[in-house]
Amino acid sequence: MKETAWKSPSNIALIKYWGKYDVQIPANPSLSFTLSSAATTTRLKYAQGKGVIKVLLNGQETPTFIPKIQLFLERTRALFPFTNQMDFEIHTSNSFPHSSGIASSASGMSALALCMMNIKKELGLDIEDFFREASIAARLGSGSGSRSVYGPLAAWGKHSEIEGSHDDFAVPFTDVSDVFKTFQDTILIIDKGEKTVSSSLGHSLMKNHPYASKRFAQAHENQSRLLTAMLDTDLKVFGEIVESEALTLHAMMMTSKPYFILMKPNTLEVINRIWSFREATNHPIYFTLDAGANVHILYPESHKELIMRFIDSELRTFCKDSSYLCDQVGLGPTPL
Ligand code: DP6
């Protein structure tokens, strides 16, 4: 078998993608920090064959991943017409533990999409733009995966103020002041359990949601305001928008049918402590959340020492097994 490999990072959305149309078209634009340490490494082995797929996570055969990969291959057939005449062995591993509650779909699907692009190149097939096609393919695997293809920030979904932005793929975004290119993200592991709401179910809850249209319009407005704040180094406005986006995402889940609460008591405890600390010290420390209980703490690199001291002394006790992951904005995937 031949082999190709990529390491692709996870990303954390500042403006949240929540709600989609077929096939994998976002209901609103989103913008994310590409991460650095949290990443998936995928080695794709391939040979002429009949479409037999084997997936190994950390060296262990994991057949439960196969349906998702098969769906990815079906959806990307136009981009990768060779996949049904090949057998694949997908060796994948994450830099973060599976039990940390950190989603691996964005990093995993983008790493796989990039490996497929390498095969496409190797076969001499026409490629107009390598990373753009990788982003389209990653999106078809997992919407947020479209953004993992680029660093330091990536924007997915048509937005009036981002030139070239598109619903089919993400574009790299660099129009921010330097402070945001080295921003820190300390991920507090509040709950290690599997997600109680799958992202497909979560997105589908926006279909008949009473607040959907207002929310989608709000994402456009929030993105506009965030772009200005990030260009002007307005950390206060940055934090206001990012925290509001996180709480809105959870508010959408709390007001859908069926409804969910994905925050845990310790999520709220941590948020309140961040707010008190910020009020008392004026330090630029903000939070965001994914569709889960973990808290991403965002702050400038210049405040790292000070804020890590606060996290260790006041917040760590609310983490499952006292665990957190230190990450920061990164530059995107690397070929191996
Ligand atoms: C809350 O990209 O995981 O993290 O397209 O169904 O794979 P699928 O969904 P996914 O949704 C991510 C939702 C989010 C917000 C975001 O990353 O923008």
Side-chain angles (χ1 to χ4, degrees):
M1 282 187 134
K2 286 190 176 176
E3 188 180 315
T4 181
W6 277 87
K7 180 176 181 185
S8 191
S10 183
N11 67 75
I12 180 68
L14 305 172
I15 302 294
K16 307 290 182 185
Y17 148 56
W18 198 242
K20 63 178 163 183
Y21 311 112
D22 278 342
V23 176
Q24 297 288 97
I25 297 300
N28 63 257
S30 58
L31 181 74
S32 53
F33 277 144
T34 304
L35 295 179
S36 179
S37 307
T40 299
T41 297
T42 296
R43 286 185 187 283
L44 182 60
K45 299 188 179 182
Y46 60 100
Q48 285 285 349
K50 294 196 181 75
V52 178
I53 305 166
K54 210 169 167 187
V55 187
L56 294 95
L57 175 66
N58 303 323
Q60 290 270 44
E61 230 182 301
T62 315
T64 48
F65 281 13
I66 291 178
K68 202 150 190 216
I69 306 286
Q70 247 149 3
L71 185 63
F72 168 84
L73 294 180
E74 276 161 34
R75 285 179 175 169
T76 55
R77 194 75 75 205
L79 283 167
F80 309 131
F82 48 86
T83 49
N84 51 5
Q85 295 129 37
M86 279 184 178
D87 291 340
F88 293 106
E89 231 180 79
I90 305 169
H91 295 250
T92 191
S93 61
N94 298 320
S95 63
F96 45 89
H98 184 62
S99 59
S100 62
I102 296 178
S104 59
S105 62
S107 52
M109 284 299 166
S110 56
L112 182 60
L114 287 157
C115 289
M116 289 295 177
M117 286 305 296
N118 273 6
I119 301 179
K120 186 170 183 176
K121 196 166 150 193
E122 156 99 13
L123 294 175
L125 299 179
D126 249 12
I127 297 175
E128 214 175 287
D129 182 322
F130 187 94
F131 286 99
R132 174 168 296 179
E133 284 186 33
S135 179
I136 295 174
R139 179 200 108 231
L140 292 167
S142 177
S144 55
S146 66
R147 299 186 310 240
S148 277
V149 167
Y150 299 106
L153 287 92
W156 172 42
K158 182 105 199 84
H159 185 265
S160 58
E161 286 165 47
I162 298 185
E163 221 192 297
S165 59
H166 205 286
D167 285 348
D168 290 350
F169 50 81
V171 292
F173 191 72
T174 50
D175 258 355
V176 296
S177 76
D178 282 346
V179 66
F180 294 109
K181 296 179 185 163
T182 56
F183 234 62
Q184 305 292 302
D185 179 5
T186 304
I187 310 165
L188 304 191
I189 312 299
I190 303 292
D191 186 34
K192 293 193 171 180
E194 285 285 315
K195 281 208 248 176
T196 46
V197 185
S198 72
S199 57
S200 338
L201 172 62
H203 289 289
S204 76
L205 294 173
M206 288 306 281
K207 286 228 162 83
N208 295 309
H209 198 290
Y211 308 137
S213 62
K214 183 72 193 136
R215 159 60 197 155
F216 301 147
Q218 179 199 48
H220 283 266
E221 288 156 28
N222 279 350
Q223 186 143 309
S224 293
R225 289 182 58 224
L226 186 64
L227 296 182
T228 307
M230 292 179 93
L231 200 56
D232 295 349
T233 327
D234 191 336
L235 287 168
K236 189 164 174 281
V237 173
F238 165 86
E240 248 170 53
I241 298 167
V242 167
E243 292 188 349
S244 167
E245 275 288 312
L247 295 178
T248 301
L249 168 71
H250 282 257
M252 290 299 110
M253 286 184 253
M254 288 156 87
T255 48
S256 54
K257 277 193 196 130
Y259 44 78
F260 296 96
I261 300 182
L262 297 187
M263 289 187 264
K264 298 283 179 200
N266 282 352
T267 310
L268 290 176
E269 195 58 55
V270 163
I271 290 174
N272 278 313
R273 282 174 190 255
I274 290 171
W275 284 344
S276 304
F277 178 74
R278 190 167 75 214
E279 193 161 318
T281 63
N282 241 332
H283 292 314
I285 172 172
Y286 310 102
F287 74 85
T288 188
L289 309 165
D290 258 342
N294 293 343
V295 183
H296 290 248
I297 304 187
L298 305 175
Y299 52 94
E301 192 181 25
S302 54
H303 288 64
K304 190 171 174 177
E305 224 183 283
L306 201 144
I307 287 177
M308 280 313 296
R309 234 180 290 137
F310 162 64
I311 291 174
D312 278 330
S313 64
E314 273 205 51
L315 304 184
R316 191 170 197 161
T317 169
F318 301 109
C319 299
K320 200 101 197 158
D321 303 328
S322 300
S323 64
Y324 59 67
L325 301 171
C326 293
D327 213 334
Q328 60 180 40
V329 171
L331 293 176
T334 40
L336 301 172

